[in-house]
Amino acid sequence: TLALSLVALVALGGVAWYAATVPITDRLARVGVADVLGGAVGNLIDRAKDGYVLDFVDAYWGTWHFWAFNVADAAITVGVIFMILDMLGLGRRSQGETASSASNPV
């Protein structure tokens, strides 16, 4: 438990450092980083308090079974997806476009 908590703290520090470098205009990336940080903190609190992380969502469809997870795991996954979408350029405005021109097209 202690070793996993220390590894999680180091990883959390790395993600927090990365979050400080993300430009304020990259909203999708910032939301993604916030999700990852929130999920990581949630899992770290559970691990430090209880010694383990409880996975309580168990999804299946017929005979197909998805792995068990918790809300923090889901937040981390969604956050990483948002960060990947940002890296692919989704959600970004073109270089010449401003917020006012985006809301009032001519």
Side-chain angles (χ1 to χ4, degrees):
T1 300
L2 181 61
L4 285 175
S5 295
L6 290 174
V7 169
L9 272 173
V10 170
L12 190 60
V15 173
W17 174 80
Y18 171 73
T21 66
V22 176
I24 195 77
T25 56
D26 291 350
R27 290 184 185 156
L28 196 58
R30 293 183 71 80
V31 168
V33 169
D35 282 352
V36 170
L37 285 172
V41 168
N43 278 341
L44 181 62
I45 289 170
D46 284 347
R47 187 167 308 282
K49 183 177 63 118
D50 302 328
Y52 59 91
V53 176
L54 182 62
D55 291 334
F56 54 88
V57 179
D58 194 13
Y60 60 92
W61 183 272
T63 59
W64 181 79
H65 185 259
F66 195 73
W67 57 83
F69 61 97
N70 60 32
V71 175
D73 296 337
I76 292 169
T77 302
V78 169
V80 169
I81 290 169
F82 282 178
M83 291 168 63
I84 291 170
L85 291 175
D86 179 72
M87 287 178 198
L88 294 174
L90 274 65
R92 293 192 184 160
R93 295 188 178 115
S94 63
Q95 293 291 338
E97 189 176 352
T98 62
S100 62
S101 67
S103 61
N104 294 324
V106 177

